[in-house]
Amino acid sequence: MAHGDGCFVIQKNSESKKKMYDAIVVGGRCGGAALAMLLARKGRRVLIVDQAQLPSDVRLSTHLIWHAGVDRLRQWGLLDTVLASNCPALTDFSLDMGELVLRGRPPGTQVGAALSPRRLALDKVLLDAALQAGAELRQGITFEDVIQQDGRVAGIRGRLQDGGAFTAQAKVVVGADGTHSRVARAVGADTYNEVPKESGSFNIYSYFSGVALSGVEFFSRPERMFYAWSTNDGRSVVGVIQPGQAPRPARQDTEAYFFKELDTMTPGLAQRVKAGQRDDEWLSGAIATFCRQAAGPGWALVGDAGVTMDPVTAAGISSALRDADLLASLIHQGLASPDGLDAALAGYQTQRDEVSVPLLQLSQEMGKLAPPTEDVIKLFMALAGNQPQIDRYYGLFAQTVTPADFFGPANMAEIFAAA
Ligand SMILES: Cc1cc2nc3c(=O)[nH]c(=O)nc-3n(C[C@H](O)[C@H](O)[C@H](O)COP(=O)(O)OP(=O)(O)OC[C@H]3O[C@@H](n4cnc5c(N)ncnc54)[C@H](O)[C@@H]3O)c2cc1C
């Protein structure tokens, strides 16, 4: 994989406590690095801490960034660097439902494409940009708890890899530490709209080379969603999503299980995948999905720490970038205003949830992989041949058309009238 030249500033001392940062961001991947970059670009003093050594890949991710996320990368001046990691622009989308295939392109986008850069590439571009903007990075530090002062969060305590203690102080601590966020636990953030992982989707996938694909391909079958798209260096991600409660293969049987399902349900894709070769291990997993309280005195959450969506809609990265954008503006505004940070962060949850909750609910509904209802079947039949509305359907996932707009009575009436 070709990457740009990045500079990683790794400070060796374990005493950041004498410095007062504007923000400490726990977690330096897409949510955290984007937030740190935006704050540092606004002149804020930012420390990123991460327990991992970065850059490194995220194994449980199929990497798809839909249009809203790609547009944001462009707006931040990072699109060319991501493209230079050798991942193709994905412009064409298809959903094969057996008798009906919907092909389209989401409307309302600047770049007009999705991308699927391996996280090694994406997270590095964002982190490099954060460091270039002046953020500091401390790797190999595990966040353990927040430091409280006068009833508000005022810093963090962590553990170095050699077991030593680490502390640092800041006006705000942001948990960008993923779905199992320890920051969220430390501050006691409430959870809502929760669906356990057994009721969501279970994902099985791997990387292949030599597979001929036409953009982003989905295949909806009874209790299954197969998918395939290109990532870096001529490789493709190919996988199947099934209900979390459906029987799943033992690890050593994954290959046989996957190809039996592919052969039976999508023989055309099976043929193309078999013409290539698998060049990574099989990966699989399921996650619980939810929203968490977004902020409190001296703290906030961003990315999966705040909202974890079902991977079936591949919305997590684009959502993390959007929430980082929103949170950076609010923190900057709060630090600059006499009303202070808490007043600025008071509206964060409402603004985040206005966009995120409908997307979360869409992902949770689709993650069940339930048989389509009569109404859903009628909707897809009505969409056939209506290209603008098929494009708008893809806009739901590209995050350029809201679920309220698409499924609202006016749009439904228009679709059925046209049919
Ligand atoms: C199977 C699967 C497939 C997916 N596919 C897609 C997809 O195609 N498209 C998409 O948009 N989304 C996808 N997602 C979701 C996507 O991976 C997440 O939304 C995204 O990674 C969230 O980014 P983040 O920065 O919030 O957190 P993460 O990427 O989880 O990063 C969190 C960081 O915090 C650090 N950290 C954690 N705890 C600590 C601690 N105590 N101390 C210090 N550091 C800590 C970690 O080391 C890590 O670097 C998928 C998820 C799954 C499970």
Short mmCIF file of all heavy atoms in Angstrom, two decimals, residues 49 66 83 205 276 287 362:
data_model
loop_
_atom_site.label_atom_id
_atom_site.label_comp_id
_atom_site.label_asym_id
_atom_site.label_seq_id
_atom_site.Cartn_x
_atom_site.Cartn_y
_atom_site.Cartn_z
N VAL A 49 -4.14 10.56 22.88
CA VAL A 49 -3.50 9.37 23.45
C VAL A 49 -4.19 8.13 22.90
O VAL A 49 -5.40 8.14 22.68
CB VAL A 49 -3.54 9.34 25.01
CG1 VAL A 49 -2.84 10.52 25.61
CG2 VAL A 49 -4.94 9.23 25.54
N TRP A 66 -18.94 6.28 2.72
CA TRP A 66 -19.95 6.74 1.77
C TRP A 66 -19.70 8.21 1.42
O TRP A 66 -18.84 8.87 1.99
CB TRP A 66 -21.35 6.57 2.36
CG TRP A 66 -21.83 5.15 2.39
CD1 TRP A 66 -21.69 4.27 3.42
CD2 TRP A 66 -22.52 4.45 1.35
NE1 TRP A 66 -22.27 3.06 3.10
CE2 TRP A 66 -22.79 3.14 1.84
CE3 TRP A 66 -22.96 4.78 0.07
CZ2 TRP A 66 -23.47 2.18 1.09
CZ3 TRP A 66 -23.64 3.83 -0.68
CH2 TRP A 66 -23.89 2.55 -0.17
N LEU A 83 -6.72 9.12 -1.82
CA LEU A 83 -6.71 8.47 -3.13
C LEU A 83 -5.31 7.96 -3.48
O LEU A 83 -5.14 6.92 -4.12
CB LEU A 83 -7.19 9.44 -4.21
CG LEU A 83 -8.70 9.74 -4.20
CD1 LEU A 83 -9.03 10.90 -5.14
CD2 LEU A 83 -9.50 8.50 -4.61
N TYR A 205 -16.19 -11.95 6.27
CA TYR A 205 -15.59 -11.39 5.05
C TYR A 205 -14.10 -11.65 4.99
O TYR A 205 -13.47 -12.04 5.98
CB TYR A 205 -15.86 -9.88 4.95
CG TYR A 205 -15.22 -9.07 6.04
CD1 TYR A 205 -14.01 -8.40 5.82
CD2 TYR A 205 -15.81 -8.98 7.30
CE1 TYR A 205 -13.42 -7.66 6.83
CE2 TYR A 205 -15.21 -8.25 8.31
CZ TYR A 205 -14.02 -7.58 8.07
OH TYR A 205 -13.43 -6.86 9.06
N GLY A 276 -10.65 -15.13 -8.72
CA GLY A 276 -9.56 -14.44 -8.03
C GLY A 276 -8.99 -15.33 -6.94
O GLY A 276 -9.19 -16.55 -6.96
N ILE A 287 -21.52 -6.67 16.66
CA ILE A 287 -21.39 -5.69 17.74
C ILE A 287 -22.78 -5.25 18.22
O ILE A 287 -23.72 -5.23 17.43
CB ILE A 287 -20.58 -4.43 17.32
CG1 ILE A 287 -21.05 -3.90 15.95
CG2 ILE A 287 -19.10 -4.69 17.31
CD1 ILE A 287 -20.47 -2.54 15.61
N LEU A 362 -32.08 2.97 11.12
CA LEU A 362 -32.07 2.31 9.82
C LEU A 362 -31.11 1.11 9.85
O LEU A 362 -31.42 0.02 9.38
CB LEU A 362 -31.64 3.32 8.74
CG LEU A 362 -31.54 2.82 7.31
CD1 LEU A 362 -32.93 2.49 6.75
CD2 LEU A 362 -30.87 3.86 6.40
#
